[in-house]
PDB file of all heavy atoms in Angstrom:
ATOM      1  N   SER A 638     -10.461  31.383  -8.117  1.00 97.00           N
ATOM      2  CA  SER A 638      -9.845  31.466  -6.801  1.00 97.00           C
ATOM      3  C   SER A 638      -9.788  32.923  -6.324  1.00 97.00           C
ATOM      4  O   SER A 638      -9.944  33.830  -7.153  1.00 97.00           O
ATOM      5  CB  SER A 638      -8.441  30.829  -6.786  1.00 97.00           C
ATOM      6  OG  SER A 638      -7.685  31.509  -7.733  1.00 97.00           O
ATOM      7  N   LYS A 639      -9.598  33.152  -5.056  1.00 96.00           N
ATOM      8  CA  LYS A 639      -9.555  34.465  -4.517  1.00 96.00           C
ATOM      9  C   LYS A 639      -8.363  35.227  -5.032  1.00 96.00           C
ATOM     10  O   LYS A 639      -8.389  36.479  -5.044  1.00 96.00           O
ATOM     11  CB  LYS A 639      -9.537  34.431  -3.026  1.00 96.00           C
ATOM     12  CG  LYS A 639     -10.936  33.986  -2.412  1.00 96.00           C
ATOM     13  CD  LYS A 639     -10.953  34.257  -0.827  1.00 96.00           C
ATOM     14  CE  LYS A 639     -12.374  33.996  -0.281  1.00 96.00           C
ATOM     15  NZ  LYS A 639     -12.662  32.525  -0.198  1.00 96.00           N
ATOM     16  N   GLY A 640      -7.345  34.552  -5.473  1.00 96.00           N
ATOM     17  CA  GLY A 640      -6.097  35.200  -5.953  1.00 96.00           C
ATOM     18  C   GLY A 640      -5.197  34.042  -6.378  1.00 96.00           C
ATOM     19  O   GLY A 640      -5.493  32.958  -6.394  1.00 96.00           O
ATOM     20  N   PRO A 641      -3.907  34.451  -6.696  1.00 98.00           N
ATOM     21  CA  PRO A 641      -2.920  33.468  -7.114  1.00 98.00           C
ATOM     22  C   PRO A 641      -2.602  32.492  -5.938  1.00 98.00           C
ATOM     23  O   PRO A 641      -2.564  32.966  -4.749  1.00 98.00           O
ATOM     24  CB  PRO A 641      -1.723  34.301  -7.475  1.00 98.00           C
ATOM     25  CG  PRO A 641      -2.211  35.615  -7.896  1.00 98.00           C
ATOM     26  CD  PRO A 641      -3.444  35.822  -6.898  1.00 98.00           C
ATOM     27  N   ILE A 642      -2.480  31.157  -6.276  1.00 98.00           N
ATOM     28  CA  ILE A 642      -2.222  30.075  -5.287  1.00 98.00           C
ATOM     29  C   ILE A 642      -0.768  29.592  -5.412  1.00 98.00           C
ATOM     30  O   ILE A 642      -0.305  29.420  -6.509  1.00 98.00           O
ATOM     31  CB  ILE A 642      -3.203  28.990  -5.566  1.00 98.00           C
ATOM     32  CG1 ILE A 642      -4.676  29.398  -5.228  1.00 98.00           C
ATOM     33  CG2 ILE A 642      -2.883  27.754  -4.662  1.00 98.00           C
ATOM     34  CD1 ILE A 642      -5.720  28.470  -5.635  1.00 98.00           C
ATOM     35  N   ARG A 643      -0.172  29.347  -4.343  1.00 98.00           N
ATOM     36  CA  ARG A 643       1.304  28.819  -4.427  1.00 98.00           C
ATOM     37  C   ARG A 643       1.174  27.336  -4.775  1.00 98.00           C
ATOM     38  O   ARG A 643       0.310  26.562  -4.280  1.00 98.00           O
ATOM     39  CB  ARG A 643       1.876  28.948  -3.030  1.00 98.00           C
ATOM     40  CG  ARG A 643       3.290  28.592  -3.040  1.00 98.00           C
ATOM     41  CD  ARG A 643       4.008  28.878  -1.689  1.00 98.00           C
ATOM     42  NE  ARG A 643       5.506  28.720  -1.789  1.00 98.00           N
ATOM     43  CZ  ARG A 643       6.145  27.664  -1.287  1.00 98.00           C
ATOM     44  NH1 ARG A 643       5.503  26.646  -0.734  1.00 98.00           N
ATOM     45  NH2 ARG A 643       7.488  27.574  -1.466  1.00 98.00           N
ATOM     46  N   ALA A 644       2.061  26.954  -5.661  1.00 98.00           N
ATOM     47  CA  ALA A 644       2.114  25.588  -6.115  1.00 98.00           C
ATOM     48  C   ALA A 644       2.567  24.596  -5.012  1.00 98.00           C
ATOM     49  O   ALA A 644       3.460  25.001  -4.242  1.00 98.00           O
ATOM     50  CB  ALA A 644       2.944  25.470  -7.332  1.00 98.00           C
ATOM     51  N   GLN A 645       2.025  23.366  -5.065  1.00 97.00           N
ATOM     52  CA  GLN A 645       2.483  22.323  -4.204  1.00 97.00           C
ATOM     53  C   GLN A 645       3.116  21.252  -5.175  1.00 97.00           C
ATOM     54  O   GLN A 645       2.351  20.360  -5.716  1.00 97.00           O
ATOM     55  CB  GLN A 645       1.444  21.688  -3.428  1.00 97.00           C
ATOM     56  CG  GLN A 645       0.864  22.539  -2.312  1.00 97.00           C
ATOM     57  CD  GLN A 645      -0.304  21.910  -1.573  1.00 97.00           C
ATOM     58  OE1 GLN A 645      -1.062  21.204  -2.167  1.00 97.00           O
ATOM     59  NE2 GLN A 645      -0.350  22.068  -0.281  1.00 97.00           N
ATOM     60  N   PRO A 646       4.413  21.354  -5.518  1.00 97.00           N
ATOM     61  CA  PRO A 646       5.005  20.360  -6.425  1.00 97.00           C
ATOM     62  C   PRO A 646       4.901  18.933  -5.889  1.00 97.00           C
ATOM     63  O   PRO A 646       4.702  18.001  -6.612  1.00 97.00           O
ATOM     64  CB  PRO A 646       6.449  20.716  -6.550  1.00 97.00           C
ATOM     65  CG  PRO A 646       6.530  22.121  -6.033  1.00 97.00           C
ATOM     66  CD  PRO A 646       5.412  22.349  -5.055  1.00 97.00           C
ATOM     67  N   TRP A 647       4.941  18.782  -4.497  1.00 98.00           N
ATOM     68  CA  TRP A 647       4.811  17.470  -3.892  1.00 98.00           C
ATOM     69  C   TRP A 647       3.418  17.421  -3.248  1.00 98.00           C
ATOM     70  O   TRP A 647       3.136  18.102  -2.326  1.00 98.00           O
ATOM     71  CB  TRP A 647       5.888  17.272  -2.843  1.00 98.00           C
ATOM     72  CG  TRP A 647       7.300  17.447  -3.335  1.00 98.00           C
ATOM     73  CD1 TRP A 647       8.091  18.444  -3.026  1.00 98.00           C
ATOM     74  CD2 TRP A 647       7.937  16.683  -4.269  1.00 98.00           C
ATOM     75  NE1 TRP A 647       9.356  18.399  -3.675  1.00 98.00           N
ATOM     76  CE2 TRP A 647       9.288  17.279  -4.460  1.00 98.00           C
ATOM     77  CE3 TRP A 647       7.668  15.474  -4.998  1.00 98.00           C
ATOM     78  CZ2 TRP A 647      10.145  16.681  -5.302  1.00 98.00           C
ATOM     79  CZ3 TRP A 647       8.554  14.953  -5.843  1.00 98.00           C
ATOM     80  CH2 TRP A 647       9.837  15.543  -6.019  1.00 98.00           C
ATOM     81  N   SER A 648       2.500  16.628  -3.842  1.00 97.00           N
ATOM     82  CA  SER A 648       1.136  16.595  -3.350  1.00 97.00           C
ATOM     83  C   SER A 648       1.012  16.045  -1.990  1.00 97.00           C
ATOM     84  O   SER A 648       1.584  14.959  -1.693  1.00 97.00           O
ATOM     85  CB  SER A 648       0.267  15.814  -4.339  1.00 97.00           C
ATOM     86  OG  SER A 648      -1.067  15.648  -3.828  1.00 97.00           O
ATOM     87  N   PRO A 649       0.261  16.657  -1.089  1.00 96.00           N
ATOM     88  CA  PRO A 649       0.059  16.081   0.211  1.00 96.00           C
ATOM     89  C   PRO A 649      -0.828  14.848   0.244  1.00 96.00           C
ATOM     90  O   PRO A 649      -0.862  14.099   1.185  1.00 96.00           O
ATOM     91  CB  PRO A 649      -0.725  17.199   1.016  1.00 96.00           C
ATOM     92  CG  PRO A 649      -1.319  18.070  -0.040  1.00 96.00           C
ATOM     93  CD  PRO A 649      -0.416  17.958  -1.230  1.00 96.00           C
ATOM     94  N   PHE A 650      -1.373  14.516  -0.975  1.00 96.00           N
ATOM     95  CA  PHE A 650      -2.162  13.306  -1.114  1.00 96.00           C
ATOM     96  C   PHE A 650      -1.444  12.047  -1.529  1.00 96.00           C
ATOM     97  O   PHE A 650      -1.945  10.969  -1.814  1.00 96.00           O
ATOM     98  CB  PHE A 650      -3.406  13.534  -2.094  1.00 96.00           C
ATOM     99  CG  PHE A 650      -4.313  14.624  -1.490  1.00 96.00           C
ATOM    100  CD1 PHE A 650      -4.246  15.857  -1.952  1.00 96.00           C
ATOM    101  CD2 PHE A 650      -5.157  14.255  -0.462  1.00 96.00           C
ATOM    102  CE1 PHE A 650      -5.111  16.830  -1.498  1.00 96.00           C
ATOM    103  CE2 PHE A 650      -6.015  15.257   0.024  1.00 96.00           C
ATOM    104  CZ  PHE A 650      -6.017  16.510  -0.442  1.00 96.00           C
ATOM    105  N   ILE A 651       0.014  12.238  -1.656  1.00 95.00           N
ATOM    106  CA  ILE A 651       0.792  11.047  -1.938  1.00 95.00           C
ATOM    107  C   ILE A 651       1.676  10.795  -0.704  1.00 95.00           C
ATOM    108  O   ILE A 651       2.433  11.758  -0.239  1.00 95.00           O
ATOM    109  CB  ILE A 651       1.675  11.306  -3.201  1.00 95.00           C
ATOM    110  CG1 ILE A 651       0.699  11.248  -4.383  1.00 95.00           C
ATOM    111  CG2 ILE A 651       2.811  10.280  -3.274  1.00 95.00           C
ATOM    112  CD1 ILE A 651       1.407  11.272  -5.802  1.00 95.00           C
ATOM    113  N   ALA A 652       1.615   9.668  -0.200  1.00 92.00           N
ATOM    114  CA  ALA A 652       2.368   9.269   1.037  1.00 92.00           C
ATOM    115  C   ALA A 652       3.822   9.543   0.949  1.00 92.00           C
ATOM    116  O   ALA A 652       4.409   9.140  -0.167  1.00 92.00           O
ATOM    117  CB  ALA A 652       2.075   7.782   1.444  1.00 92.00           C
ATOM    118  N   GLY A 653       4.404  10.075   1.923  1.00 94.00           N
ATOM    119  CA  GLY A 653       5.897  10.191   1.936  1.00 94.00           C
ATOM    120  C   GLY A 653       6.309  11.654   1.524  1.00 94.00           C
ATOM    121  O   GLY A 653       7.468  12.043   1.707  1.00 94.00           O
ATOM    122  N   ASN A 654       5.412  12.360   0.847  1.00 95.00           N
ATOM    123  CA  ASN A 654       5.794  13.656   0.293  1.00 95.00           C
ATOM    124  C   ASN A 654       6.058  14.726   1.395  1.00 95.00           C
ATOM    125  O   ASN A 654       6.753  15.701   1.138  1.00 95.00           O
ATOM    126  CB  ASN A 654       4.619  14.214  -0.637  1.00 95.00           C
ATOM    127  CG  ASN A 654       4.880  13.699  -2.094  1.00 95.00           C
ATOM    128  OD1 ASN A 654       5.867  12.930  -2.356  1.00 95.00           O
ATOM    129  ND2 ASN A 654       3.916  13.945  -2.898  1.00 95.00           N
ATOM    130  N   GLU A 655       5.421  14.423   2.581  1.00 93.00           N
ATOM    131  CA  GLU A 655       5.675  15.510   3.632  1.00 93.00           C
ATOM    132  C   GLU A 655       7.087  15.543   4.060  1.00 93.00           C
ATOM    133  O   GLU A 655       7.532  16.639   4.642  1.00 93.00           O
ATOM    134  CB  GLU A 655       4.817  15.071   4.861  1.00 93.00           C
ATOM    135  CG  GLU A 655       5.141  13.752   5.539  1.00 93.00           C
ATOM    136  CD  GLU A 655       4.549  12.481   4.918  1.00 93.00           C
ATOM    137  OE1 GLU A 655       3.868  12.706   3.872  1.00 93.00           O
ATOM    138  OE2 GLU A 655       4.832  11.468   5.350  1.00 93.00           O
ATOM    139  N   LYS A 656       7.944  14.546   3.719  1.00 92.00           N
ATOM    140  CA  LYS A 656       9.391  14.612   4.015  1.00 92.00           C
ATOM    141  C   LYS A 656      10.189  15.363   2.909  1.00 92.00           C
ATOM    142  O   LYS A 656      11.374  15.551   3.061  1.00 92.00           O
ATOM    143  CB  LYS A 656       9.940  13.219   4.154  1.00 92.00           C
ATOM    144  CG  LYS A 656       9.231  12.371   5.269  1.00 92.00           C
ATOM    145  CD  LYS A 656       9.896  11.050   5.461  1.00 92.00           C
ATOM    146  CE  LYS A 656       9.144  10.146   6.444  1.00 92.00           C
ATOM    147  NZ  LYS A 656       8.434   9.065   5.917  1.00 92.00           N
ATOM    148  N   LYS A 657       9.557  15.660   1.751  1.00 94.00           N
ATOM    149  CA  LYS A 657      10.374  16.137   0.643  1.00 94.00           C
ATOM    150  C   LYS A 657      10.557  17.687   0.763  1.00 94.00           C
ATOM    151  O   LYS A 657       9.682  18.381   1.276  1.00 94.00           O
ATOM    152  CB  LYS A 657       9.675  15.855  -0.682  1.00 94.00           C
ATOM    153  CG  LYS A 657       9.767  14.331  -0.924  1.00 94.00           C
ATOM    154  CD  LYS A 657       9.287  13.958  -2.289  1.00 94.00           C
ATOM    155  CE  LYS A 657       9.521  12.424  -2.491  1.00 94.00           C
ATOM    156  NZ  LYS A 657       8.758  11.889  -3.598  1.00 94.00           N
ATOM    157  N   LYS A 658      11.689  18.172   0.312  1.00 92.00           N
ATOM    158  CA  LYS A 658      12.010  19.578   0.367  1.00 92.00           C
ATOM    159  C   LYS A 658      11.342  20.378  -0.640  1.00 92.00           C
ATOM    160  O   LYS A 658      11.025  19.879  -1.787  1.00 92.00           O
ATOM    161  CB  LYS A 658      13.603  19.777   0.177  1.00 92.00           C
ATOM    162  CG  LYS A 658      14.361  19.327   1.324  1.00 92.00           C
ATOM    163  CD  LYS A 658      15.795  19.854   1.348  1.00 92.00           C
ATOM    164  CE  LYS A 658      16.410  20.115  -0.053  1.00 92.00           C
ATOM    165  NZ  LYS A 658      17.781  20.421   0.093  1.00 92.00           N
ATOM    166  N   ASP A 659      10.964  21.613  -0.340  1.00 92.00           N
ATOM    167  CA  ASP A 659      10.220  22.519  -1.177  1.00 92.00           C
ATOM    168  C   ASP A 659      11.220  23.309  -2.046  1.00 92.00           C
ATOM    169  O   ASP A 659      10.868  24.428  -2.444  1.00 92.00           O
ATOM    170  CB  ASP A 659       9.323  23.466  -0.389  1.00 92.00           C
ATOM    171  CG  ASP A 659       8.264  24.086  -1.236  1.00 92.00           C
ATOM    172  OD1 ASP A 659       7.800  23.372  -2.191  1.00 92.00           O
ATOM    173  OD2 ASP A 659       7.963  25.269  -1.018  1.00 92.00           O
ATOM    174  N   ALA A 660      12.332  22.798  -2.318  1.00 94.00           N
ATOM    175  CA  ALA A 660      13.346  23.437  -3.246  1.00 94.00           C
ATOM    176  C   ALA A 660      14.103  22.426  -4.005  1.00 94.00           C
ATOM    177  O   ALA A 660      14.242  21.306  -3.378  1.00 94.00           O
ATOM    178  CB  ALA A 660      14.256  24.355  -2.399  1.00 94.00           C
ATOM    179  N   PRO A 661      14.583  22.693  -5.194  1.00 96.00           N
ATOM    180  CA  PRO A 661      15.236  21.657  -5.911  1.00 96.00           C
ATOM    181  C   PRO A 661      16.611  21.223  -5.265  1.00 96.00           C
ATOM    182  O   PRO A 661      17.211  22.115  -4.597  1.00 96.00           O
ATOM    183  CB  PRO A 661      15.594  22.299  -7.300  1.00 96.00           C
ATOM    184  CG  PRO A 661      14.671  23.485  -7.380  1.00 96.00           C
ATOM    185  CD  PRO A 661      14.440  23.939  -5.932  1.00 96.00           C
TER     186      PRO A 661
END
């Protein structure tokens, strides 16, 4: 990769994840 990539704990390829918060 061009550099370090930010993690996506909630995959955009699983339905409903777009509503989930990016923090615990």
Side-chain angles (χ1 to χ4, degrees):
S638 59
K639 289 191 172 74
I642 293 170
R643 186 175 190 258
Q645 292 177 322
W647 306 111
S648 174
F650 296 101
I651 290 188
N654 276 354
E655 63 280 359
K656 300 183 184 114
K657 292 189 175 163
K658 286 196 331 189
D659 198 37

